Amino acid sequence: MEEIKIFAPATVANLSCGFDVLGCCLESVGDEMLLRKNSSGEIKITKITGQDLPMETDKNVAGVAVRALLKELKSEQGFDMEIYKKIKSGSGIGSSAASSAGAVFAANKLLGEPFSPLELLPFAMQGELLASGNAHADNVAPALLGGFSLIKSYQPLEVLSLPNPPDLRMVILHPLIEVRTKDSRSIIKQSISLQKAINQWGNLGALVSALYTNDYDLLGRSLQDEIVEPVRSILIPFFDELKKIARESGALGFGISGSGPSVFALCKGEISAENVRQSIQKFYQEKEIDFDLHLSKIGNEGVKVIQ
Ligand code: HSE
């Protein structure tokens, strides 16, 4: 195989109670990328559409991630990369993760799959390190593995895939302001009270149980965050009002997607999600704030070949 085109999904990290350890992948929102082997031995980014991103390999997360993979293999293979961005940078739905995960997935395929999807994670995390100064895995893991991922530990890296209850739908509202992950990480407090930790790990454990038992109600009640959300939500216009509207319109839970400014409403079923989508849309239109709005299933597959 000389050339491959892939779809790299957007992802929702943290899911309220799982800061840096939990994320899920969207089925119908994501980027496309094309990778082609070249004979120059260089990794070249030949085209980027949709976003203004660096073309230099060492400054682009996709280039850095593929370089890490090739280094591990001691391979001199070169690639041309075309990146078709649909996910906006700084949106909070894993734009850098989609590029990093997509690039290593595609390169791995063209090289005859020397690595499993799980083994590709550390390379994709190098892209996250470049983008945000921190090699978190809660976007790249679900982007590569699909469904829900739990990072059990970072050192050593241990990642678990969790079940994806079939009726889940995700509504994403992206207020069109850019929040850099680096900045929104810098405002988080470095220590928390024992009481808050107790509440958080109670919710995280319950959320995992809810995914295994298809308990949508428990899932909704577990989507709580007393640690990061109170600090980061001040960056998101009308966060409290949005949360109230989403809950009153039937969302199971509502929170910040990754480092924001996107917010998510997790819903049960298409009709409920559509209802939530419309309520949020109406509210933001009245406030005259520009936004993007997405409604998607949780993708089971993660990055996938489309051509
Ligand atoms: N867990 C990361 C954060 C995700 O919240 O900073 C960034 O998308």
Side-chain angles (χ1 to χ4, degrees), residues 13-14 18-22 92-94 128 136 138-139 154 181 184-185 188 228 232 257-260:
N14 300 337
F19 179 70
D20 273 1
V21 300
L22 191 65
I93 51 171
E128 293 293 65
H136 53 88
D138 48 346
N139 290 108
Y154 275 87
T181 301
S184 69
R185 289 186 80 85
I188 299 168
V228 178
R232 280 182 168 171
S257 174
S259 54

Side-chain angles (χ1 to χ4, degrees), residues 64-184:
V64 166
V66 170
R67 214 187 270 298
L69 181 153
L70 292 173
K71 191 173 170 209
E72 179 69 21
L73 279 179
K74 299 187 176 60
S75 166
E76 309 240 307
Q77 179 63 54
F79 291 105
D80 290 344
M81 275 195 237
E82 296 176 9
I83 306 173
Y84 301 92
K85 292 298 292 178
K86 308 264 171 67
I87 312 170
K88 295 196 171 91
S89 306
S91 56
I93 51 171
S95 182
S96 56
S99 293
S100 310
V104 294
F105 174 91
N108 189 51
K109 279 269 182 213
L110 292 178
L111 293 166
E113 298 190 67
F115 299 109
S116 70
L118 205 54
E119 288 168 342
L120 290 174
L121 258 180
F123 311 128
M125 287 165 71
Q126 290 303 307
E128 293 293 65
L129 181 62
L130 176 71
S132 70
N134 183 275
H136 53 88
D138 48 346
N139 290 108
V140 282
L144 280 166
L145 306 172
F148 287 83
S149 302
L150 177 76
I151 322 301
K152 191 258 173 206
S153 83
Y154 275 87
Q155 281 177 336
L157 185 63
E158 198 176 335
V159 177
L160 309 174
S161 284
L162 304 173
N164 177 13
D167 293 342
L168 285 183
R169 297 292 182 277
M170 193 70 98
V171 177
I172 302 280
L173 171 79
H174 173 206
L176 294 183
I177 50 171
E178 189 172 345
V179 174
R180 284 158 44 99
T181 301
K182 208 178 254 179
D183 298 335
S184 69

Side-chain angles (χ1 to χ4, degrees), residues 15 56 61 83 141 154 156 170 211 228 278:
L15 291 163
E56 298 97 314
V61 299
I83 306 173
Y154 275 87
M170 193 70 98
L211 292 177
V228 178
Q278 285 178 18

Side-chain angles (χ1 to χ4, degrees), residues 23-304:
C24 69
C25 127
L26 300 183
E27 185 181 80
S28 53
V29 186
D31 296 340
E32 290 177 8
M33 295 174 87
L34 187 138
L35 256 76
R36 193 179 297 118
K37 283 184 184 168
N38 69 34
S39 52
S40 68
E42 287 175 46
I43 307 164
K44 281 193 224 152
I45 297 165
T46 53
K47 189 172 176 182
I48 301 178
T49 66
Q51 289 291 285
D52 189 15
L53 292 168
M55 301 286 281
E56 298 97 314
T57 309
D58 289 331
K59 292 187 183 158
N60 186 297
V61 299
V64 166
V66 170
R67 214 187 270 298
L69 181 153
L70 292 173
K71 191 173 170 209
E72 179 69 21
L73 279 179
K74 299 187 176 60
S75 166
E76 309 240 307
Q77 179 63 54
F79 291 105
D80 290 344
M81 275 195 237
E82 296 176 9
I83 306 173
Y84 301 92
K85 292 298 292 178
K86 308 264 171 67
I87 312 170
K88 295 196 171 91
S89 306
S91 56
I93 51 171
S95 182
S96 56
S99 293
S100 310
V104 294
F105 174 91
N108 189 51
K109 279 269 182 213
L110 292 178
L111 293 166
E113 298 190 67
F115 299 109
S116 70
L118 205 54
E119 288 168 342
L120 290 174
L121 258 180
F123 311 128
M125 287 165 71
Q126 290 303 307
E128 293 293 65
L129 181 62
L130 176 71
S132 70
N134 183 275
H136 53 88
D138 48 346
N139 290 108
V140 282
L144 280 166
L145 306 172
F148 287 83
S149 302
L150 177 76
I151 322 301
K152 191 258 173 206
S153 83
Y154 275 87
Q155 281 177 336
L157 185 63
E158 198 176 335
V159 177
L160 309 174
S161 284
L162 304 173
N164 177 13
D167 293 342
L168 285 183
R169 297 292 182 277
M170 193 70 98
V171 177
I172 302 280
L173 171 79
H174 173 206
L176 294 183
I177 50 171
E178 189 172 345
V179 174
R180 284 158 44 99
T181 301
K182 208 178 254 179
D183 298 335
S184 69
R185 289 186 80 85
S186 69
I187 59 173
I188 299 168
K189 290 188 194 121
Q190 289 303 310
S191 49
I192 56 170
S193 70
L194 181 61
Q195 189 55 54
K196 283 189 177 159
I198 291 168
N199 297 347
Q200 202 88 347
W201 60 54
N203 281 319
L204 183 57
L207 185 143
V208 172
S209 169
L211 292 177
Y212 272 94
T213 54
N214 287 349
D215 189 335
Y216 294 91
D217 198 51
L218 177 64
L219 183 56
R221 284 185 284 117
S222 310
L223 289 169
Q224 292 182 45
D225 173 14
E226 294 176 36
I227 297 170
V228 178
E229 184 178 291
V231 183
R232 280 182 168 171
S233 59
I234 52 173
L235 302 172
I236 298 163
F238 302 103
F239 179 85
D240 292 338
E241 289 88 340
L242 284 167
K243 188 175 202 167
K244 189 163 177 279
I245 290 166
R247 297 302 298 261
E248 284 173 1
S249 310
L252 298 169
F254 179 92
I256 302 172
S257 174
S259 54
S262 287
V263 289
F264 73 88
L266 196 60
C267 304
K268 184 184 179 192
E270 197 73 27
I271 294 168
S272 169
E274 185 52 36
N275 200 25
V276 170
R277 192 186 72 78
Q278 285 178 18
S279 306
I280 289 177
Q281 175 170 298
K282 185 165 171 283
F283 176 72
Y284 245 41
Q285 276 168 345
E286 281 165 9
K287 296 292 175 198
E288 297 185 0
I289 300 170
D290 290 334
F291 60 91
D292 287 338
L293 202 51
H294 309 283
L295 194 170
S296 174
K297 288 185 182 174
I298 312 299
N300 277 319
E301 233 188 315
V303 186
K304 58 187 174 207

